[in-house]
Amino acid sequence: MDKRKQLRKQIRSLRRSLTPSQQNTAAQALLRNMRTRQDFRRAKSIAMYLPNDGEIDPTPLIKLCWKLGKEVYLPVLHPILHNRLWFVPYTQKTPMVRNIYSIREPKLEPGRRKAAWALDLVLLPLVAFDPKGNRMGMGGGYYDRTFAFKGLKKGMRGPDLIGLAHEIQRVEELPVEGWDIPLTTIVTDAKSYP
Ligand SMILES: Nc1ncnc2c1ncn2[C@@H]1O[C@H](COP(=O)(O)OP(=O)(O)OP(=O)(O)O)[C@@H](O)[C@H]1O
Ligand SMILES: [Mg+2]
């Protein structure tokens, strides 16, 4: 197994080993670290995710957004384009289905999606990160493909990408590939990077 795959496996198992009570404490700490941020307070449309595989839980943050009248979006696997994400509004009333990874996602209804570049802010999960903003995901290249437009053209900056993680997912330095899209910031239960 190559180094990248081995690291992914190791950190995935580490985050899965967190107890429900540790997960709950981390989710509350994440809420505290996110809610006062300028970028979060300014954003009107924010993409988040439902936790899976031991990922840090942004649900308290989703509820805060609903309370503040912000629009919450969840990623949905693109039905045709390989390994790409669509973003669909998520409210308490949204009908949900399970995707091919058994992750709950909003049922796709025509005309309800938002383009990735039109979001104000994207909070995304990750497997590992380093303090420079490099990200390793689950290995599908979904976020990398979806946000590949960032940095390609001038004026196509797109939304800031904030990686959410447990502090235990930090490594000193990640091996980066040419297609990896760097994160603007990483926010954990302990602090923000850089
Ligand atoms: N913009 C792109 N165009 C085409 N292929 C891509 C692109 N970005 C990534 N890939 C492919 O996706 C595969 C997985 O990439 P990588 O290992 O970086 O996934 P990841 O960042 O861990 O996953 P994810 O983004 O879903 O969290 C790689 O084999 C890579 O070739
Ligand atoms: Mg990648």
Side-chain angles (χ1 to χ4, degrees):
M1 209 191 298
D2 69 45
K3 225 174 129 194
R4 214 168 139 98
K5 277 193 183 150
Q6 214 171 337
L7 182 68
R8 184 177 276 129
K9 197 174 158 212
Q10 186 197 331
I11 299 190
R12 281 185 62 186
S13 106
L14 195 59
R15 72 180 184 186
R16 272 198 308 266
S17 71
L18 295 170
T19 65
S21 139
Q22 286 172 316
Q23 283 286 358
N24 197 24
T25 306
Q28 292 304 327
L30 177 74
L31 173 68
R32 282 197 300 275
N33 292 344
M34 275 299 305
R35 68 183 306 162
T36 51
R37 294 179 61 90
Q38 274 297 333
D39 46 13
F40 174 76
R41 293 174 55 164
R42 261 201 295 258
K44 291 202 184 82
S45 59
I46 308 182
M48 292 192 244
Y49 60 91
L50 297 182
N52 172 48
D53 195 59
E55 288 163 353
I56 197 161
D57 184 2
T59 310
L61 208 52
I62 292 178
K63 290 184 177 154
L64 173 65
C65 286
W66 285 341
K67 211 171 90 184
L68 296 174
K70 296 180 190 287
E71 293 165 24
V72 176
Y73 290 80
L74 289 180
V76 169
L77 298 182
H78 196 293
I80 305 149
L81 276 182
H82 184 60
N83 292 54
R84 226 170 267 262
L85 301 171
W86 275 359
F87 292 92
V88 176
Y90 177 49
T91 70
Q92 273 132 312
K93 291 182 190 148
T94 304
M96 305 293 281
V97 294
R98 286 193 186 268
N99 67 22
I100 52 166
Y101 299 107
S102 283
I103 300 173
R104 271 159 23 96
E105 62 176 37
K107 194 168 155 229
L108 199 51
E109 284 165 54
R112 298 237 59 208
R113 69 201 172 85
K114 194 165 179 101
W117 53 263
L119 291 159
D120 292 333
L121 188 62
V122 180
L123 308 185
L124 60 163
L126 54 84
V127 173
F129 71 95
D130 70 22
K132 283 187 203 144
N134 296 312
R135 168 182 185 272
M136 175 187 279
M138 296 273 259
Y142 288 96
Y143 281 98
D144 287 328
R145 280 189 178 80
T146 305
F147 292 98
F149 67 87
K150 274 176 73 79
L152 286 183
K153 268 192 230 155
K154 270 206 183 121
M156 271 297 261
R157 214 175 125 251
D160 282 346
L161 306 181
I162 300 185
L164 303 184
H166 296 286
E167 190 59 31
I168 54 165
Q169 291 169 253
R170 173 168 55 88
V171 299
E172 209 172 302
E173 193 168 14
L174 268 186
V176 193
E177 304 287 353
W179 60 78
D180 284 324
I181 302 297
L183 299 168
T184 317
T185 309
I186 296 105
V187 179
T188 74
D189 47 318
K191 57 176 283 195
S192 299
Y193 299 86

